[in-house]
Amino acid sequence: MGAAIELTGISKRFPGVVANDRVSLTVEEGEIHAICGENGAGKSTLMKILYGMLMADEGRMVVGGKEVRFRSPSDAIDLGIGMVHQHFMLADQFTVLENVILGDEPTRSLGRIDFKKARAHLDEVSKSYGLTLEADELVENLSVGERQRVEIIKVLYRGAKILILDEPTAVLVPQEVEDLFRNLRELKKSGATILFIDHKLQEILAIADTITVLRQGRTVATVKPKDVTAADLAELMVGSELPTPTKVGSTVTDRVAVEVRGVTVLDADERPVVDDVSFEVHHGEILGIAGVEGNGQAELVDALVGTRTVSRGQVLLKGEDATNWNVRRRREAGLAYVPQDRQREGLLLVAPLWENVALGHQTRPPFVKGIWFDRKGARARTEEVRRDFDVRTPNIEVTAHSLSGGNQQKLVVGREMASEPEIFIAAHPTRGIDVGAQAQVWEDLRQARAAGMATVLVSADLEEIIGMSDTIVVMLRGKIVARLDPDTVTPRDLGSYMTGAHLPKEAG
Ligand SMILES: Nc1ncnc2c1ncn2[C@@H]1O[C@H](COP(=O)(O)OP(=O)(O)O)[C@@H](O)[C@H]1O
Ligand SMILES: [Mg+2]
């Protein structure tokens, strides 16, 4: 078997960025080839070039032994290359069959769609690739995993033998990832070649036959999974050793920064989603809140920052009863926060980056001079955040919308940390960002902790919770069901408290 694809010296520049810098990539026929790298490494750009969506500035592409030059995706499709994008492009109100044939309908006389023929072809494709789907189900009734399967079938239906999947696991829960991997292995067995973008190391090692690592637009290595560890891969991705979340010593003081007393938050049906929760966070302390998502952490964070009403109990900030304070007042008292949903709560997507960095901080320096909003100050601060948190963008005048998810997250975390808060409420601060940026956030948290910042850290990343926290509490069904010592607890233990497999020993 020969190479299905050979790319040599591919370069692509965008204003201010070299997205691909003389990249080379060889994909053997019938293999699963993973492309990995940090956010902004140039993975999507390279795949879009291969799919004819973007034209390379330089370089050679050889597909099936022949040099090609694609002017549009239809040229790529003609050569059997198909792409499943990061964001699905399905019509919800249509059935699976209608979605699959959309744009490629077999017609009978007078241009009428030949559904019988389409259905037969769909059946044949589903069967030969072992992908099951209900052809007449409406897409809106499908789970995310099933929608993704529709996208894959749609590509196969058009005769693709080379499949490109751009971060397909980003939207899936672990169970769905397993299903996807099973499907991909089946596809491979029936002769497909698969290009697969991912940045989760364990997933890559589990599925790939070959791995190509991109860093800052360049190919840094092509390796076999059996020859590398997850740590090796991470090192290749970031160019240095894998950073781990750790803290050194204790900086916990005896001054209480946040006190939560018997706080209860009710949902629309008057059921407690946060149920009589109490804890204290001292200056210089990181309190980690662990829990399976949906056990009240998000609502607790809202109650702490002032975006949700507390039904019973009190929130005290630096000794003052802040239970009924609005967000502005809490911010002015020295609180900063990273919201769970950065797109909805944390950013004005249509506004430029520098306005976003001023967001929530407009009333204090460097954003005001006298009584006026200080654009110069805001821009200078934004440049700082951009540099310190490695926000990849051509300039700070672009809208937040144009940043990738990871870069949006870095902007929000950077903005909040740059205000040098005394109290920091961080919901999943490192979610969706690459290892390099994660390490930056951890380092900033450590430094701020040493300087006396009190942190409430909500995270689904158990390594992060254990590594960074001075104290861990576990939330389950709105209650705190355990208080654990991060120096002795294992991720496994923590997991069983989170699911309730442990009987709570110390309820708080
Ligand atoms: N259409 C575009 N216009 C300007 N810059 C872009 C565009 N697409 C990507 N970039 C930039 O090119 C770099 C590589 O992006 P991308 O290929 O999306 O990376 P990855 O998929 O590895 O995260 C990033 O710095 C990104 O901001
Ligand atoms: Mg991408």
Side-chain angles (χ1 to χ4, degrees):
M1 272 196 262
I5 293 164
E6 253 179 288
L7 306 182
T8 342
I10 298 283
S11 292
K12 178 75 187 173
R13 290 172 210 92
F14 292 113
V17 202
V18 184
N20 286 165
D21 186 2
R22 290 158 288 167
V23 172
S24 294
L25 171 71
T26 303
V27 181
E28 298 299 328
E29 219 175 289
E31 73 168 347
I32 298 182
H33 194 117
I35 311 283
C36 69
E38 294 189 275
N39 281 322
K43 307 177 297 287
S44 294
T45 301
L46 187 67
M47 293 302 109
K48 286 177 189 164
I49 289 171
L50 178 58
Y51 186 53
M53 284 173 77
L54 288 173
M55 297 256 274
D57 299 332
E58 289 149 30
R60 238 166 72 92
M61 300 208 284
V62 175
V63 176
K66 277 200 220 64
E67 178 153 5
V68 295
R69 193 167 291 272
F70 295 150
R71 269 155 294 128
S72 73
S74 68
D75 291 345
I77 293 168
D78 285 345
L79 287 185
I81 299 175
M83 180 156 176
V84 175
H85 295 276
Q86 235 165 328
H87 304 284
F88 302 155
M89 302 176 180
L90 299 174
D92 274 2
Q93 323 80 313
F94 290 89
T95 65
V96 168
L97 179 64
E98 286 163 341
N99 266 284
V100 167
I101 66 178
L102 201 70
D104 193 24
E105 299 90 347
T107 48
R108 291 192 300 186
S109 56
L110 300 171
R112 249 181 298 175
I113 299 177
D114 188 346
F115 275 104
K116 206 168 152 208
K117 195 166 161 202
R119 187 182 299 272
H121 187 188
L122 174 62
D123 275 352
E124 189 189 310
V125 170
S126 314
K127 234 185 245 123
S128 65
Y129 290 107
L131 289 160
T132 48
L133 271 178
E134 197 58 63
D136 298 315
E137 188 65 75
L138 286 181
V139 161
E140 65 181 4
N141 296 333
L142 303 182
S143 68
V144 174
E146 289 165 333
R147 281 167 201 236
Q148 189 172 61
R149 213 172 300 153
V150 177
E151 291 274 13
I152 294 174
I153 292 203
K154 190 168 168 143
V155 165
L156 295 170
Y157 183 91
R158 283 157 181 69
K161 294 281 179 269
I162 300 171
L163 246 79
I164 303 168
L165 295 111
D166 194 351
E167 299 209 30
T169 68
V171 294
L172 303 179
V173 298
Q175 174 60 34
E176 289 174 323
V177 171
E178 282 169 31
D179 288 342
L180 170 70
F181 283 5
R182 204 169 313 122
N183 289 333
L184 293 185
R185 290 196 185 95
E186 279 303 314
L187 281 171
K188 177 174 117 172
K189 255 193 236 156
S190 40
T193 303
I194 296 164
L195 268 144
F196 177 88
I197 297 185
D198 201 338
H199 59 237
K200 292 186 204 132
L201 307 172
Q202 299 304 342
E203 289 177 3
I204 296 166
L205 291 170
I207 187 80
D209 298 307
T210 310
I211 305 164
T212 291
V213 185
L214 293 186
R215 183 165 79 229
Q216 293 179 352
R218 306 208 177 120
T219 319
V220 292
T222 296
V223 294
K224 298 286 179 191
K226 65 170 170 35
D227 301 327
V228 288
T229 63
D232 295 335
L233 268 188
E235 196 170 331
L236 288 168
M237 279 164 61
V238 298
S240 56
E241 231 174 282
L242 179 65
T244 51
T246 46
K247 55 179 194 301
V248 185
S250 174
T251 56
V252 183
T253 65
D254 53 10
R255 288 180 301 131
V256 177
V258 181
E259 190 180 348
V260 172
R261 288 188 192 151
V263 162
T264 296
V265 174
L266 302 178
D267 67 7
D269 300 325
E270 304 276 303
R271 279 186 305 243
V273 276
V274 175
D275 194 353
D276 194 18
V277 163
S278 298
F279 58 76
E280 286 180 355
V281 193
H282 298 82
H283 286 282
E285 177 178 14
I286 298 178
L287 175 87
I289 300 187
V292 175
E293 224 160 324
N295 277 281
Q297 307 92 310
E299 292 82 0
L300 176 61
V301 163
D302 290 348
L304 289 174
V305 304
T307 53
R308 196 178 285 257
T309 311
V310 171
S311 302
R312 280 192 295 279
Q314 284 177 303
V315 175
L316 285 83
L317 300 179
K318 297 190 291 183
E320 278 194 81
D321 185 351
T323 317
N324 297 314
W325 290 3
N326 62 17
V327 178
R328 160 82 55 94
R329 183 133 181 233
R330 293 182 204 214
R331 279 195 181 282
E332 281 167 359
L335 177 145
Y337 72 100
V338 174
Q340 172 132 358
D341 182 346
R342 61 190 171 233
Q343 287 225 346
R344 258 205 358 246
E345 296 176 50
L347 292 167
L348 280 175
L349 290 174
V350 295
L353 300 191
W354 61 271
E355 280 185 24
N356 272 283
V357 166
L359 197 68
H361 303 267
Q362 307 91 321
T363 55
R364 278 165 298 148
F367 306 107
V368 278
K369 215 179 194 166
I371 59 166
W372 305 106
F373 180 67
D374 181 0
R375 291 196 162 71
K376 227 172 113 197
R379 287 199 167 91
R381 170 62 70 82
T382 307
E383 287 295 356
E384 258 172 58
V385 169
R386 174 190 181 185
R387 187 189 61 228
D388 293 350
F389 286 82
D390 191 24
V391 179
R392 309 260 167 98
T393 175
N395 60 63
I396 60 170
E397 306 299 326
V398 302
T399 62
H401 186 76
S402 72
L403 294 186
S404 68
N407 282 303
Q408 288 176 349
Q409 175 81 344
K410 289 190 265 183
L411 188 76
V412 172
V413 175
R415 170 185 76 200
E416 298 300 312
M417 295 293 291
S419 71
E420 297 185 1
E422 290 176 75
I423 298 168
F424 190 41
I425 314 295
H428 310 284
T430 64
R431 177 185 278 177
I433 64 179
D434 48 73
V435 264
Q438 261 182 350
Q440 181 65 49
V441 173
W442 292 330
E443 178 54 28
D444 271 58
L445 279 177
R446 274 190 293 267
Q447 280 181 18
R449 167 179 171 266
M453 183 174 78
T455 306
V456 175
L457 171 68
V458 175
S459 176
D461 177 344
L462 300 188
E463 300 280 337
E464 178 173 82
I465 284 276
I466 292 173
M468 294 301 299
S469 305
D470 295 289
T471 313
I472 299 174
V473 297
V474 180
M475 278 187 87
L476 180 64
R477 291 190 282 277
K479 286 184 188 300
I480 289 184
V481 294
R483 286 168 202 277
L484 305 164
D485 178 356
D487 291 336
T488 52
V489 76
T490 64
R492 223 188 126 79
D493 264 352
L494 195 47
S496 54
Y497 279 106
M498 287 163 55
T499 54
H502 257 81
L503 275 180
K505 284 178 186 146
E506 257 185 89

